[in-house]
Amino acid sequence: MTHTAIALQGVCKRYPFFQLNDLSFSLEEGQIMGFVGPNGAGKSTTIRLIMGLLQPDAGQVSVLGQRMTDQQAQAKRDIAFVADGMGLHANATLGWHIDFVRTMVPYWDKHYADQLLKRFNLHLPQTIKSLSTGERVKALLLLALARRPRLLVLDEPTTGLDPVARHEILAELTDVLLDDSRSVLFSSHNTRDVEQISDQITFIDRGRLIESSDRDSFIERWRRIHLNVPDHVVLPADQGRADVVTSGHTTTITTGNWSPSLEQAYINSGAVIHEVQRMNLEEIFIASVLSKRRQIEAEESAA
Ligand SMILES: Nc1ncnc2c1ncn2[C@@H]1O[C@H](COP(=O)(O)OP(=O)(O)OP(=O)(O)O)[C@@H](O)[C@H]1O
């Protein structure tokens, strides 16, 4: 039986110049979700709602079966949260932080903590202020992972890291999921990181959900179709059509609804297909964000 690690239902949060709008998505246990959005999309606000650090104005957030914020104490025993710049004491050593955290949490895996110290090339006597950006992220990750949390929530863990440090962090996150009752939610602008390790992907933009689905179906559904459309041809209806660009005799259609039968429908309409290209997650992200923005602008100007 699958359990839900995180569920948001109709969540709204209003600030003077921003609003999270009717956000609903869920993360199943044992899955890793990449939470992707441009700057200011509302990723950190959503994460703060998930962590019970903010109260929604409407809607419901549940984490590990507990309603936030009223049952957060119980849920938080099993959640570890990592965000850059959070609660480390600059003058204290990593060893001091480990001793402090292990007294505060229900479980601490010393053997795993020692392994991570070696793997991340960190040393107990190092002070936090002496660590580089990447080392600080690794220290935070060690403090979170050695608790063996059922849910790990990370706010932009790979921002500002070099490719090798990013690889090490992503590899460690994938390892966490070898135990299939653990789950990870991590936010990022970096679609390559997300594409590499996520089972599920959620896109948000300007406080609205764009799409939330499993990675393979994202990649499978999006295509660029390059075709020639003779004058008399009426293209078939395609709900997922995100963009149409015509250059000379070639039309390029970007669709989030591709299937062999859609391709056949284009052929049956009399269009001549030259090439059907797969898209990477970055291209899909840009196409779906821009398409949703156009759709919202059209709805607002029609209202
Ligand atoms: N306490 C607050 N008061 C007022 N506005 C806020 C507050 N916190 C966040 N906002 C606004 O909410 C919007 C979303 O911010 P948030 O930090 O959630 O975005 P983000 O997707 O994490 O962005 P980034 O990738 O740039 O970190 C921003 O416009 C921000 O100014």
Side-chain angles (χ1 to χ4, degrees):
M1 193 168 98
T2 58
H3 294 274
T4 305
I6 297 174
L8 274 75
Q9 191 57 50
V11 171
C12 299
K13 181 78 197 169
R14 276 173 224 98
Y15 287 130
F17 304 104
F18 175 82
Q19 135 162 13
L20 264 191
N21 220 323
D22 194 20
L23 205 61
S24 301
F25 67 87
S26 61
L27 168 66
E28 299 309 316
E29 270 193 357
Q31 301 265 298
I32 184 159
M33 176 182 278
F35 188 48
V36 188
N39 286 123
K43 300 181 295 296
S44 298
T45 303
T46 307
I47 285 179
R48 286 201 284 271
L49 287 159
I50 289 169
M51 290 305 303
L53 301 170
L54 283 177
Q55 181 91 34
D57 296 323
Q60 239 183 39
V61 180
S62 7
V63 180
L64 300 174
Q66 310 292 332
R67 253 194 350 267
M68 301 301 244
T69 49
D70 40 336
Q71 298 171 330
Q72 61 175 304
Q74 196 160 351
K76 278 189 174 169
R77 286 199 319 222
D78 294 318
I79 311 175
F81 176 45
V82 173
D84 193 23
M86 65 186 285
L88 296 179
H89 296 286
N91 292 318
T93 64
L94 179 55
W96 181 88
H97 281 86
I98 289 177
D99 288 341
F100 178 72
V101 170
R102 62 194 291 188
T103 60
M104 306 284 291
V105 296
Y107 180 73
W108 181 261
D109 188 335
K110 182 176 179 325
H111 178 66
Y112 186 34
D114 290 344
Q115 275 182 347
L116 288 172
L117 273 174
K118 281 208 186 75
R119 213 176 302 173
F120 290 160
N121 196 25
L122 293 171
H123 308 279
L124 295 175
Q126 286 175 295
T127 55
I128 298 303
K129 69 180 176 201
S130 73
L131 300 178
S132 70
T133 307
E135 286 167 342
R136 207 172 51 245
V137 174
K138 287 175 182 170
L140 282 168
L141 201 60
L142 182 156
L143 293 167
L145 287 175
R147 292 174 52 189
R148 295 281 187 196
R150 279 174 61 202
L151 173 64
L152 184 59
V153 177
L154 305 108
D155 197 357
E156 307 203 9
T158 56
T159 301
L161 301 190
D162 69 66
V164 176
R166 273 195 8 241
H167 173 82
E168 287 174 308
I169 302 277
L170 296 178
E172 216 46 63
L173 292 184
T174 317
D175 264 13
V176 172
L177 296 166
L178 292 178
D179 174 346
D180 63 10
S181 65
R182 299 183 199 281
S183 324
V184 177
L185 173 94
F186 80 105
S187 70
S188 184
H189 310 112
N190 190 322
T191 48
R192 278 179 60 193
D193 291 352
V194 172
E195 188 165 7
Q196 198 180 326
I197 66 164
S198 305
D199 307 298
Q200 287 182 262
I201 295 169
T202 297
F203 285 162
I204 65 164
D205 181 43
R206 298 180 176 174
R208 293 176 197 249
L209 183 84
I210 306 289
E211 215 172 329
S212 183
S213 104
D214 67 279
R215 179 194 54 188
D216 294 344
S217 82
F218 252 113
I219 303 285
E220 199 46 42
R221 280 186 290 107
W222 281 86
R223 291 284 194 285
R224 282 219 171 91
I225 308 175
H226 302 278
L227 69 181
N228 180 266
V229 188
D231 284 344
H232 63 281
V233 165
V234 178
L235 292 174
D238 173 4
Q239 300 291 339
R241 198 176 290 153
D243 196 23
V244 180
V245 177
T246 301
S247 166
H249 293 294
T250 303
T251 298
T252 301
I253 292 174
T254 305
T255 179
N257 202 25
W258 180 87
S259 67
S261 57
L262 179 72
E263 198 172 317
Q264 192 57 49
Y266 276 105
I267 294 168
N268 293 346
S269 74
V272 180
I273 294 185
H274 299 307
E275 192 185 1
V276 179
Q277 279 180 322
R278 285 180 174 271
M279 296 166 67
N280 63 33
L281 196 65
E282 176 146 338
E283 294 168 322
I284 295 171
F285 175 52
I286 293 168
S288 57
V289 164
L290 294 181
S291 153
K292 184 78 171 186
R293 285 185 187 177
R294 281 194 294 270
Q295 184 196 329
I296 289 167
E297 278 159 20
E299 283 166 8
E300 284 172 355
S301 61

